[in-house]
Amino acid sequence: MTRARTNPARPQLPNPRQTRRGFLGLGLAAGIVLSLEACGGASTADSASGGSKTIKWAWQLPTTWDPVTSSAGSDVQMLALAYDPLTALDEQGNAVPWLAESWAYDEAGTSVTFTLRPGLTFSDGKPIDAAAVAASIERGRTQDGSLIAPQMATIKKVSAPGDLEVLVELSEVDYQYPLLFAGKTGMVVNPAAFEADAAALATQPAGSGPFTVTSYVQNDHASMKKNPRFHLADEIKVENFDLYPQQDPSTAVASVRSGQFNIGRLGGAQVQQAKDAGLDVQVIDTMYVSVLDVNVSMAPFDDPAVVEAMKYGIDREKVREVAFFGLGDVNYQPFPPGYVGYNAELDDLYAHDPDKARQLLADAGYTAPVKGTFTSSGQSDPAVELIQAQLKEVGIELEIESIPPTQHTQLVYLEHSRALTYDGFAGRESPVQAFQVLFGAEGLMNPGRTTNPELEAQLEKVKKTPTDSPEYPALLQEATRIAVTSFPNVFLQLMPSAIARKGVSELPDLPSLRRFEGVKA
């Protein structure tokens, strides 16, 4: 049998001072509580004990408060304020207890039983028992319109053979579920809510996380209060959490300095400005990688030569220096160094080579500039404009189309109506899930809906290999090689999260889920 490490008292804690190269397999959506000693680092918060005990963050609002229909990977950050997953990840990317205190696969690897911690409750006081968890997982894999269902395709049935035992029966061997259940797919939704009115979950989350939403105005703000029934409630040191959409980076410093917010997200251009203004600046490594997503069913990117020329035509280091003021690291694959799926052989695979880009186009018969459209949601206009200029130099002339951020997911990934877009990939708990999202035939971030039989076969090997097997890393890294060399995605750079704080203690320094245990305001 394959068993999880068990600690019924509390989750196992990662080292808060890990470097990017010191962790293996952390997904952005996962995270473990830091020890309280590691969480409260800022002197400004230590002197604010008489303050409002409220975090006011100009961060982001989710596309929905329902994990089942969430259409953005980064939503998991906000959803984790209201929901708990079954498992979490430690600093090596291993699944560790969260709502489930342990789990075990059968000898064949075709079923896994999760044992819940006793005494857990949803925010409304209803028990989190095996029947509730089974109903939540079943809804996620069967509800019409579920965006997490594709990640659970190998589940045949979920049942509750005991009050605390959740049995997940599989159609084939798949050792990824303890990892998968550390994110949106494993977030447990209160059945009382979705059985009464599932549509209401879009604006009224019903979970067991550290906070409960008291009011929500779409595209404006969400107000939350501490959930006293959260299983680590004693470690939540703030009473309220007010969440707002990200502000224009040019106003972030002024809004934090004035007290409108006490945490704000910064662009690279604002980091020094925030320091000069006397704010606490924190730069946190993440799993977020910027990427150009390509729809190969649309011209001119239906020609592989154009796609390959584009990969060589972009000077990623220049984009990093100019558009992001030196923040981040150039990267050619969806995973960072140190991640179990990171393939070092891909380093500099598409290093800037404008002559090669021009030759690829010439060999393909292009005698005039290739014309196309480059869609931007305003996420990083300087990067988009710089990439446009670099590609023009090698013979690819792109007209920039700006669309509102609120329409980006719908137009690019649901309607598949745009040929090229600048976006980012927020990482996933299970590396197989990451491949499915990026490269699967139904992958949300695969606008062309193309797939590769060689990659699919390799991922089958990965799924059927226990994650603690010595063979697992090499199998996963080979999948990365196949994906990066055969798919059109143009990976650009790893993007850290830069924030300005005023009167709030240091946030846990994890390249994963933002956690707030121990954080003071």
Side-chain angles (χ1 to χ4, degrees), residues 54 88 129 157 211 295 320 351 386 399 412 421 441 481 500 507:
T54 297
D129 55 18
K157 180 182 177 182
F211 300 96
N295 188 335
R320 186 186 76 89
L386 185 53
E399 178 183 353
V412 175
T421 190
R481 185 198 65 79
L507 302 188

Side-chain angles (χ1 to χ4, degrees), residues 16 63 86 112 130 174 269 328-329 340 351 353 371 375 437 468 474 478 480:
T63 58
L86 270 181
V112 54
D174 191 340
D329 297 297
V340 67
D353 191 339
K371 304 286 186 179
T375 299
V437 170
D468 58 356
E478 173 61 11
T480 302

